[in-house]
Structure formats: C-alpha cells, structure tokens
Amino acid sequence: MGNVRSRPVNTGQATLLFLGGIGSGLTGSMAGLASLVSYPALLAAGIPPIAANVTNTVALLSSAAGSAAGSRRELRGQGRRILRHGVAGVAGGTAGALLLMSTPSDAFERIVPGLIVLGALALLFREPLRAWYARPGRRPPLGVAVFLIAIYGGYFGAAAGVLLLAAMSLAAAEPLAVTNAVKSIVLGFSNVAAAVLYALFAPVHWTAAALLAAGCLIGSWIGPALVRRTPEKPLRVAIAIAALTLAGFLWHTA
C-alpha cells in the first residue's frame, strides 16, 4: 500500500493525468461521465486497479467544486434540495466505500469490466431507461434512488452521474442545466464520504490524485458553460463505445 501511495510519476504520466483530468471534468459536468475518462487515465499511468479507483474518487472532489463554481446561476435557490439529497449521497457513498475496502483485489479486477459495461449501456440506452423508470410502480422514491446510486458511486462510480441525472430529471420539470448542476453537487457529497475513508485506509496515489484533480477543476469549471449550448448525445455515444472497448480489454487481461 505504501509503495502505491508514493510511486513516482514521470513527465509523460503527469501530462496524461492532467489532460485526463480536464477531459474528466468536462465530461463529468456535461454528461455525468467523469470516471469513464479519469479511471482509464489512471490505469494508463500504471496505477493498479483498486489504487486507481480510490485515487479517482479522491481526485473527483475537485470536479464538484469546479461544477459549483461554474453553475452558480443554476444553483440559486437549490440549497434545501441539495442538502436533502446530499444526506442520502453521504450514506450511500460511505456504504459503497466500505464495500470496496472489503472486496479482494482479484475479485475487484474481475468485477470492474462488468461495471464499466453497465455504465456504457446506461449511456447508450439512457432514453429507454428513463422511459422504463418513469412507468407507474417502477420508480422508487428519489431519496432511495439517490442512496442506491451513491452506493454504486462510492464503490466504483463510472456513469453514476448518468444514473443520478436520469433519476433526478424524472422528479423535476426544469431545464437540464439546473438538474445537471444539482446532480454534480449531490454526487460530490457521495464522493466526499467515500474519499474520507479512502484517504485514511486505502492506497490513494496522492501525486496522481493531485494532477488529476487539477485538470478536473479546470474541466468541470468550463463544462457548465458548454452544457448550456452544446448537444451531448455525440459525446455520450463516443465515450460509451470507448468504455465498451476498455471493458473488453480489462476483461481479457483479468
């Protein structure tokens, strides 16, 4: 664990992590896809899967901060709503982190490809999933949905933002930019809860986390301005295809 925390990063890896952070912040704030960019960047930098996962969660705290700064217009008057769902996010994120820390590393490596496929499918079939979820009798209370999604977010997190955005968009008739901004902050609550446990008990690679976080802060600050005027469907499809390719590669190597 100690070796992972202090493993040096060369110039090429540092550049990859910083640029991956910018891409992660952009896609996370625009479409809830942060981990589908940042996690592969950490793997490409040579960080083992569990260390990459916990490092990713810690680094993505800056994504929530950047989204909050870039979404001040959309977040006006949303304080009570954020606090209410944030409580469920904290509970779920804590549960997910505890679950991850009790999962053996070899088992996690076998589970990850399936989780990435789940995230990719959620992207590709987001509209049909929304329609199915909206049918009478199939939609749990939003607080329950937030809690369950936060467990997934604390455990792994790829496309957790997509799932949370889908759930929250069904519960409120408002512009997508507002729902997206609230989603980013609520997901941030989940990440904070998990990150505290990871910082204390898991093999966080702090140099990689700092580089990734710096890029995430920039990307997530820019993202809300772009989401107001940019169609995100092509982005969703491209990242979903890349995620399926990554899942296939990880499944083969595992």
Side-chain angles (χ1 to χ4, degrees), residues 40-215:
L42 288 161
L43 293 179
I47 299 174
I50 283 191
N53 192 41
V54 299
T55 299
N56 183 54
T57 298
V58 171
L60 289 183
L61 293 179
S62 69
S63 182
S67 294
S71 304
R72 291 188 301 273
R73 180 193 311 175
E74 287 81 7
L75 292 173
R76 290 192 188 106
Q78 300 295 329
R80 289 186 178 181
R81 178 184 177 194
I82 289 172
L83 182 61
R84 183 172 66 253
H85 297 317
V87 170
V90 167
T94 301
L98 292 172
L99 180 62
L100 175 70
M101 290 190 293
S102 64
T103 302
S105 59
D106 56 343
F108 179 77
E109 290 180 33
R110 292 194 297 270
I111 293 169
V112 162
L115 296 177
I116 293 177
V117 168
L118 175 64
L121 293 177
L123 296 178
L124 288 175
F125 301 104
R126 187 180 70 178
E127 301 312 319
L129 284 172
R130 279 180 171 174
W132 178 88
Y133 183 75
R135 291 178 186 174
R138 291 192 176 168
R139 183 168 62 188
L142 183 57
V144 174
V146 171
F147 174 70
L148 294 175
I149 293 167
I151 292 176
Y152 171 68
Y155 185 83
F156 183 58
V162 172
L163 300 174
L164 187 56
L165 181 62
M168 296 185 78
S169 65
L170 292 171
E174 61 190 7
L176 177 63
V178 174
T179 310
N180 197 49
V182 173
K183 171 269 300 176
S184 295
I185 306 305
V186 171
L187 202 59
F189 276 84
S190 170
N191 282 346
V192 166
V196 169
L197 291 175
Y198 292 155
L200 293 173
F201 303 113
V204 176
H205 190 301
W206 291 104
T207 302
L211 290 164
L212 196 65

